[in-house]
Amino acid sequence: MSAKTDKMVTVPKAVINRLPMYHRFLYQLLLEGKEKISSQELSQLMRITSSQLRQDLSYFGEFGQQGYGYRVETLYQAISGILGLEKQYTAVIVGAGNIGRAIVNYPGFSRRGLKITGIFDNNPKNIGSQVGNLTVMDVEHLADFLKKYPVQIGIVSTPVQAAQKVAYILMKSGVRGIWNFAPIMLEKNGDVVVEDIHLGDSLLTLFYRLNEKEGKN
Amino acid sequence: MSAKTDKMVTVPKAVINRLPMYHRFLYQLLLEGKEKISSQELSQLMRITSSQLRQDLSYFGEFGQQGYGYRVETLYQAISGILGLEKQYTAVIVGAGNIGRAIVNYPGFSRRGLKITGIFDNNPKNIGSQVGNLTVMDVEHLADFLKKYPVQIGIVSTPVQAAQKVAYILMKSGVRGIWNFAPIMLEKNGDVVVEDIHLGDSLLTLFYRLNEKEGKN
DNA sequence: TAGATTGTTAATCGATTAACAATC
DNA sequence: TAGATTGTTAATCGATTAACAATC
């Protein structure tokens, strides 16, 4: 039994952000057929400290065995459960450009339980075209579609100018989370969860780090 | 004159990661024609504290004026300079799937100084096809191409299985930074800078946060 | 059992915030 | 000048690491 869970300690953000990484490494180890691993060994693979690994896990329970380590399968299942990967998540994509298409076509997302039920765009050139096994719909029909077929997640992959308007429609239509690829800090209404991917920010960070390094040489 | 720069305080990672956000907001304000802004007002827009904003800027110099605030134009130029946006950055993309295409076609990246000189793939179906004004080349020719036309940045948008091998070729060919979209922790050789975009990790974080919220209701 | 390794507590380190003297 | 707001120091908060008793 977990000491932490009944004490209701809130899980630090930094820990939450590492959970997918744990999942990724454990999945890899599972594929490799590894049966057990110590915090020491796993942390070396992940380039973190074994203290951090054990501390992180302790927020969710006790998954190892003293003197032995962790069973890879068990820990993998535990992390999957913590992340909620046993569930299915329904989503629509707004913006049928390359990013939207990439998300539909990347098999990793559906494997993780993301089910995309519709893709929308406002460009007549895109509307009606095929993306995977979906047909791009006119964004004019987004609200109607969601009324008929509600989803949990809205994926915003429009140009920045359209993003906020689209986000409001999604929120009004009852999505509980938004996965946002537009370079904008979305205004929320209600208690929707917004998870941002800012590609441009990442690129600029890379630029900075390149120059930083240069300075040193 | 900056007190911090001559004392050579190293800039915290957390600060570096916020620089692109400052840049983004200031660019927006510039477009809106705003001339001056106080740390108070800007921090409210960005949903951070004004203390943090001033503290962050202080790592790089003094950009404001007591009793007045900051000139938007001046601060924008300063942040641009800190990020190294006056320079051009050359890059090749390996992996001509949707992510690779999105990067070539997104105008924001070239506006920020990213110049993509080549795109490569190993799939005969993609090789020879047009992406923007580039023709997809066979990844077999990657090393040769880079010998002739060196670049600073390698963008890895291949499937995970190919990513490490591609990264080694890039590093061997002298790239100084890698922008990695594959869900893998790349092994480095030499002192290359690796900046990761893990879409899958972001999605899993969204899942977790959706469930977390559910628990509370 | 003896050795290994967990889970957890306490210490350290880093990041954020509050407060205010300096100053425009 | 008087009011406003910066830049910076010090206090607080949160995250990481070290250390070790518990225990398999």
Side-chain angles (χ1 to χ4, degrees):
Chain A
M1 189 186 53
S2 149
K4 289 285 173 67
T5 41
D6 20 26
K7 277 195 228 138
M8 275 309 276
V9 173
T10 51
V11 182
K13 279 199 203 79
V15 174
I16 295 170
N17 289 328
R18 276 191 295 272
L19 289 174
M21 181 174 54
Y22 292 131
H23 188 263
R24 192 150 38 82
F25 275 86
L26 288 162
Y27 181 70
Q28 198 51 45
L29 290 167
L30 209 57
L31 288 186
E32 291 166 13
K34 186 140 179 115
E35 294 219 337
K36 70 138 273 191
I37 196 160
S38 66
S39 62
Q40 168 86 192
E41 195 183 350
L42 179 52
S43 66
Q44 268 165 4
L45 285 176
M46 299 177 64
R47 300 191 204 142
I48 60 177
T49 63
S50 65
S51 280
Q52 180 163 77
L53 173 42
R54 294 197 303 277
Q55 178 77 287
D56 283 357
L57 294 179
S58 77
Y59 285 101
F60 304 101
E62 304 184 353
F63 307 106
Q65 195 169 306
Q66 278 101 329
Y68 175 81
Y70 302 87
R71 293 198 53 78
V72 172
E73 168 80 28
T74 310
L75 191 53
Y76 174 75
Q77 295 299 345
I79 303 274
S80 298
I82 292 162
L83 286 165
L85 291 177
E86 76 287 352
K87 299 186 196 169
Q88 273 260 117
Y89 299 85
T90 51
V92 293
I93 300 183
V94 190
N98 285 300
I99 292 281
R101 287 165 198 272
I103 295 167
V104 174
N105 291 321
Y106 181 56
F109 298 145
S110 65
R111 204 191 61 229
R112 284 167 182 128
L114 185 73
K115 174 150 178 86
I116 294 160
T117 62
I119 180 164
F120 296 84
D121 205 295
N122 70 350
N123 186 336
K125 274 203 292 193
N126 288 333
I127 296 167
S129 74
Q130 209 67 14
V131 179
N133 48 22
L134 297 170
T135 304
V136 177
M137 290 175 271
D138 190 327
V139 73
E140 290 293 318
H141 303 138
L142 176 59
D144 283 349
F145 180 90
L146 290 174
K147 201 178 286 177
K148 262 202 195 153
Y149 312 106
V151 299
Q152 295 149 55
I153 296 171
I155 302 172
V156 177
S157 53
T158 65
V160 65
Q161 303 84 336
Q164 183 64 68
K165 203 180 128 206
V166 162
Y168 280 138
I169 298 173
L170 291 167
M171 292 183 285
K172 215 170 168 184
S173 304
V175 308
R176 297 185 40 249
I178 289 184
W179 201 19
N180 173 45
F181 288 79
I184 182 180
M185 176 172 277
L186 294 173
E187 299 287 332
K188 300 184 195 185
N189 57 45
D191 72 342
V192 68
V193 174
V194 175
E195 172 79 20
D196 293 302
I197 296 264
H198 290 320
L199 297 185
D201 286 13
S202 171
L203 182 64
L204 264 47
T205 303
L206 177 58
F207 287 174
Y208 178 89
R209 292 170 65 201
L210 285 174
N211 294 318
E212 191 180 36
K213 185 137 285 177
E214 200 145 83
K216 283 189 200 150
N217 301 344
Chain B
M1 188 188 54
S2 147
K4 288 285 175 64
T5 41
D6 19 26
K7 277 197 226 136
M8 275 307 277
V9 173
T10 51
V11 182
K13 278 199 203 80
V15 175
I16 295 170
N17 288 327
R18 275 190 296 271
L19 289 174
M21 180 174 54
Y22 292 130
H23 188 263
R24 194 149 39 82
F25 275 86
L26 288 163
Y27 181 71
Q28 198 51 45
L29 290 167
L30 209 57
L31 286 186
E32 290 165 13
K34 186 141 180 114
E35 292 218 339
K36 70 137 273 196
I37 197 160
S38 66
S39 62
Q40 169 85 192
E41 196 184 349
L42 180 51
S43 66
Q44 267 164 7
L45 285 176
M46 300 179 63
R47 303 192 203 140
I48 61 176
T49 64
S50 65
S51 280
Q52 180 164 76
L53 173 41
R54 294 198 303 279
Q55 177 76 287
D56 282 359
L57 294 179
S58 78
Y59 285 100
F60 303 103
E62 303 184 356
F63 307 105
Q65 195 169 306
Q66 276 102 329
Y68 175 81
Y70 302 87
R71 295 197 52 75
V72 173
E73 168 78 30
T74 311
L75 191 52
Y76 174 75
Q77 293 300 345
I79 303 273
S80 298
I82 292 162
L83 286 166
L85 291 177
E86 76 287 352
K87 301 187 195 169
Q88 273 261 116
Y89 298 85
T90 50
V92 294
I93 299 183
V94 189
N98 286 298
I99 292 281
R101 287 165 199 272
I103 295 167
V104 173
N105 291 320
Y106 182 56
F109 298 146
S110 66
R111 204 190 62 230
R112 285 167 179 127
L114 185 73
K115 175 148 176 85
I116 294 159
T117 62
I119 180 164
F120 295 84
D121 205 295
N122 71 350
N123 186 337
K125 275 202 290 192
N126 288 332
I127 296 167
S129 76
Q130 209 67 12
V131 178
N133 50 21
L134 296 171
T135 303
V136 177
M137 291 176 270
D138 189 329
V139 72
E140 290 294 316
H141 302 137
L142 176 59
D144 284 349
F145 179 92
L146 290 174
K147 200 178 287 178
K148 261 202 193 151
Y149 312 107
V151 299
Q152 292 148 55
I153 295 171
I155 302 172
V156 177
S157 54
T158 64
V160 64
Q161 303 83 338
Q164 183 64 68
K165 202 180 130 205
V166 162
Y168 280 139
I169 297 173
L170 290 166
M171 293 183 286
K172 214 170 170 184
S173 304
V175 307
R176 297 186 37 249
I178 289 184
W179 201 18
N180 174 43
F181 288 78
I184 181 179
M185 174 172 277
L186 293 173
E187 298 287 331
K188 301 184 196 184
N189 58 46
D191 73 343
V192 67
V193 173
V194 175
E195 173 78 20
D196 292 302
I197 296 263
H198 290 321
L199 296 185
D201 285 13
S202 171
L203 182 65
L204 264 47
T205 303
L206 177 58
F207 288 174
Y208 178 88
R209 291 170 63 202
L210 285 174
N211 293 318
E212 190 180 37
K213 184 138 285 180
E214 199 143 84
K216 282 186 199 155
N217 302 343

